[in-house]
Amino acid sequence: MRTELWDQFDGLVSASPRLLATVTADNADGTSSLTTYDGAQMRAIGILGGAIPHNVWVRGGRVVEVAPNLALVEMQV
């Protein structure tokens, strides 16, 4: 049984999450070679330019926008 509250919550969760990745190369075919923070390598459609390496946000296999070049810190609480 679905409720209105569940539908509202489900709307907050995206089917394709926004990922932080570092651009390692801009390719001639209009894609960017990327490395995520956990070391996974991927290609995404879109080139934003800039000096390599730089951080970008990726969603659904497309480069969405430039991300800040800040140090990533992972902590356990």
Side-chain angles (χ1 to χ4, degrees):
M1 171 200 254
R2 292 182 65 100
T3 63
E4 177 65 28
L5 182 60
W6 180 254
D7 289 337
Q8 290 176 4
F9 175 74
D10 194 40
L12 295 174
V13 181
S14 175
S16 61
R18 187 172 73 159
L19 303 174
L20 176 64
T22 301
V23 176
T24 56
D26 291 331
N27 305 310
D29 62 355
T31 62
S32 295
S33 296
L34 310 168
T35 303
T36 62
Y37 75 93
D38 60 352
Q41 296 188 0
M42 60 187 286
R43 286 181 110 170
I45 299 170
I47 297 175
L48 296 180
I52 294 176
H54 62 278
N55 292 336
V56 293
W57 292 112
V58 179
R59 178 172 288 171
R62 294 187 176 274
V63 176
V64 179
E65 63 183 326
V66 176
N69 284 323
L70 301 173
L72 182 64
V73 178
E74 188 172 333
M75 299 172 52
Q76 288 186 343
V77 179

